[in-house]
Amino acid sequence: MQALKAKSFELRQAVLDMIMQSGGGHIGGDFSVMEILVSLYHCQMNISPQNMDDPDRDYFVMSKGHSVESYYAVLADKGFFPMEQVIREFSAFGSKFIGHPNNKLPGIEMNSGSLGHGLPVCVGIALANRMKNRNNRVYTVMGDGELAEGSVWEGFMAAGHYRLSNLCAVIDRNGLQISGPTEQVMSHEDLAARVKSFNWHVICVNGNDIDALNAAFEEAKTVTDRPSCIIANTVKGFGGGEIMENKASWHHHVPTKEEYDIISAELTKKKEAALYE
């Protein structure tokens, strides 16, 4: 666990490098979602470059596709493609490493980025897998700003109706979106109660704590009569220090050279602290 906690900060550095060399990206949400992706790919999901075409593998859809830099970093770390290539080619002309998930790349199930599509697609995948008597699981990660999309709630309703216990949705609840705090843009009020009302099992955790996330994912696996939703309470820009944490302006801010150096130093400090905690 110490190594994975350190890896989360190491991969944030890769994200920072991608965004700096390309001149664009969504760094705030990248940093908030990292522990969720690391937990899924390193501890929870049965998916790898070796079995990515096996229908019995687990399935994952990155619904909040604007956080693709973290997604690419984790996939590269798992060996789906070289990290150096991602950093060098991200958002370059003609590159497959575009600014939202691209299913022409290995390990990516579907293109996403137009928000509100990941959960409904995963409902279909989970239902199809159950009809074929597969024992695999289906995961999706959504942003809390994305919850303003009506298709999300249709997905919650359908999954609860069909009692898709093989489906687990994760909400990156960092409280901020491109235009400000979510509770000012479109209030979620008691989000846990709202999701529960659609016949879901709901777990609320610290989404920047790998131990807490893994415990939540393990709990979700024990639920056999309904889908599970993990509300992962995170900090936008987590790991980047005071300069960027919990600031809506860092939704897609590209750091200056000075900011890059400050954030890199902060990530190095946190990585070393995680190794020796």
Side-chain angles (χ1 to χ4, degrees):
M1 284 300 107
Q2 285 177 291
L4 288 182
K5 291 172 185 178
K7 183 184 290 291
S8 297
F9 296 111
E10 179 182 319
L11 293 178
R12 283 180 170 91
Q13 182 64 54
V15 167
L16 182 61
D17 291 341
M18 277 183 229
I19 290 173
M20 283 296 289
Q21 72 81 26
S22 67
H26 293 81
I27 193 169
D30 281 317
F31 277 27
S32 69
V33 80
M34 184 61 81
E35 280 80 11
I36 299 169
L37 295 177
V38 168
S39 297
L40 281 169
Y41 275 89
H42 284 278
C43 302
Q44 297 298 326
M45 293 196 301
N46 173 28
I47 187 167
S48 69
Q50 290 71 42
N51 74 347
M52 63 184 179
D53 296 320
D54 183 347
D56 290 321
R57 73 190 183 280
D58 289 336
Y59 289 75
F60 174 78
V61 172
M62 186 69 171
S63 191
K64 54 169 294 184
H66 54 282
S67 291
V68 71
E69 297 87 6
S70 283
Y71 189 22
Y72 286 158
V74 172
L75 286 173
D77 186 63
K78 284 288 290 184
F80 284 91
F81 34 74
M83 184 72 77
E84 298 78 11
Q85 183 184 11
V86 185
I87 294 173
R88 183 178 66 251
E89 297 181 8
F90 177 66
S91 285
F93 180 76
S95 172
K96 290 183 179 180
F97 297 101
I98 57 178
H100 287 84
N102 175 16
N103 66 359
K104 301 295 189 228
L105 290 167
I108 296 180
E109 301 290 349
M110 65 171 278
N111 297 344
S112 61
S114 181
L115 297 173
H117 294 173
L119 179 59
V121 168
C122 285
V123 169
I125 296 172
L127 185 58
N129 283 341
R130 190 175 70 180
M131 292 171 68
K132 294 180 180 180
N133 295 314
R134 292 176 179 148
N135 294 319
N136 51 3
R137 294 184 63 76
V138 181
Y139 296 89
T140 185
V141 172
M142 301 178 285
D144 50 3
E146 179 178 359
L147 302 184
E149 298 286 350
S151 53
V152 170
W153 297 99
E154 292 180 43
F156 277 126
M157 180 170 59
H161 172 77
Y162 289 110
R163 296 183 175 274
L164 297 176
S165 58
N166 56 341
L167 173 62
C168 181
V170 185
I171 299 171
D172 180 11
R173 185 77 165 105
N174 61 39
L176 296 171
Q177 57 192 97
I178 189 171
S179 47
T182 55
E183 301 314 290
Q184 293 179 15
V185 178
M186 185 62 70
S187 174
H188 299 313
E189 300 174 355
D190 188 342
L191 181 57
R194 187 174 293 184
V195 176
K196 284 179 184 178
S197 72
F198 286 87
N199 195 32
W200 283 63
H201 178 73
V202 178
I203 310 164
C204 298
V205 297
N206 178 349
N208 294 125
D209 183 329
I210 287 180
D211 292 319
L213 284 164
N214 280 320
F217 285 122
E218 291 300 321
E219 178 181 331
K221 290 176 182 177
T222 69
V223 178
T224 59
D225 63 344
R226 66 195 65 196
S228 293
C229 177
I230 297 172
I231 300 176
N233 295 298
T234 65
V235 174
K236 194 149 191 163
F238 183 77
E242 292 183 6
I243 192 173
M244 66 181 294
E245 288 184 346
N246 205 29
K247 292 181 171 63
S249 59
W250 278 82
H251 182 83
H252 53 48
H253 176 70
V254 178
T256 64
K257 179 60 170 65
E258 181 182 2
E259 289 169 335
Y260 173 90
D261 291 340
I262 292 170
I263 296 167
S264 290
E266 190 70 24
L267 292 174
T268 298
K269 181 173 69 175
K270 284 185 165 61
K271 174 185 173 181
E272 292 174 352
L275 285 172
Y276 300 105
E277 66 177 11

